[in-house]
Amino acid sequence: MKGIFTSSGQNCIGIERIIACPHSYDRLIPLLEKQIRGLRLGSALPSPSHSEKEQNTTGTEHENIDIGAMISPASFPHLTSLISSAISIGATLQAGTGKPHTHPLHPQGHYFSPTLLTGITKDMPITATELFAPIALLMRASNTENAIEIANSTPYALGASVFENPSSSSNKSDMEKCVREIKAGMISINDFGAYYA
């Protein structure tokens, strides 16, 4: 979630495509759907439409937000077009609206509904586009080799993340294969684009 929705998806090393093998794909859908549906849009700044007294009586809004506004609405028509196109050729809108969101307290903010699309395939234009938005694309891979093929099917590869089940020895060899064969500027293991010193 952090890798996709940090800074409303406006993260140059953020996660956009989640490529999962069959044993994980079906389990991820309800988990992601629930989490994404629960994300709260808002601003860390007090709303100009509410006085300080009103903010204190109703509870401070900025304590209950997960995602802020995007920097600009310039990409919104393109994003909604890509989402509509993906749905028209077989993707499922699993969570969110796939459209801009008008926030009731911040109507001038550039909010985009946190979105989850499933059934995404590598031939859909949305997978060959850097979205830079709060949109998660869940893609099914048939096996580790297919997951690597899908990961390498885009011209965008600043970063990649590989997640494994540490309790399985076969997953360790699959993870090592992914790290060796995925072509990306940097690859994180069980994390995303974050390195700790």
Side-chain angles (χ1 to χ4, degrees):
M1 292 293 292
K2 179 177 153 187
I4 299 166
F5 296 105
T6 294
S7 300
S8 298
Q10 300 166 115
N11 179 344
C12 65
I13 194 101
I15 296 171
E16 293 190 2
R17 301 178 307 151
I18 302 166
I19 304 164
C21 288
H23 61 277
S24 298
Y25 184 90
D26 293 328
R27 290 186 297 167
L28 279 172
I29 292 173
L31 293 172
L32 289 170
E33 184 176 9
K34 181 180 179 186
Q35 292 290 317
I36 292 169
R37 287 181 188 273
L39 291 173
R40 298 159 299 186
L41 296 167
S43 174
L45 303 173
S47 171
S49 63
H50 288 77
S51 69
E52 187 177 325
K53 183 178 179 182
E54 288 174 309
Q55 286 281 336
N56 289 335
T57 345
T58 60
T60 49
E61 176 216 351
H62 67 274
E63 291 176 359
N64 299 315
I65 65 160
D66 300 303
I67 297 182
M70 293 181 63
I71 193 72
S72 162
S75 64
F76 289 2
H78 186 58
L79 292 172
T80 55
S81 173
L82 286 168
I83 291 168
S84 295
S85 169
I87 292 167
S88 75
I89 54 178
T92 300
L93 180 64
Q94 205 76 43
T97 64
K99 298 178 181 171
H101 172 78
T102 303
H103 195 283
L105 298 178
H106 308 283
Q108 299 302 315
H110 310 303
Y111 294 93
F112 198 90
S113 173
T115 298
L116 170 62
L117 291 170
T118 61
I120 296 291
T121 59
K122 68 179 184 176
D123 57 328
M124 294 179 178
I126 197 166
T127 65
T129 304
E130 192 173 37
L131 302 175
F132 217 57
I135 300 168
L137 306 176
L138 184 57
M139 305 174 76
R140 182 189 298 268
S142 55
N143 54 38
T144 301
E145 291 73 22
N146 184 228
I148 293 166
E149 177 191 343
I150 294 168
N152 291 334
S153 69
T154 178
Y156 304 104
L158 179 58
S161 298
V162 178
F163 292 86
E164 63 155 338
N165 177 351
S167 64
S168 169
S169 59
S170 66
N171 281 347
K172 185 167 177 65
S173 63
D174 287 344
M175 182 268 306
E176 290 170 350
K177 181 177 179 61
C178 288
V179 170
R180 277 194 316 273
E181 296 182 20
I182 290 175
K183 296 175 177 82
M186 61 179 92
I187 298 176
S188 297
I189 299 171
N190 294 329
D191 204 343
F192 94 98
Y195 298 90
Y196 308 97

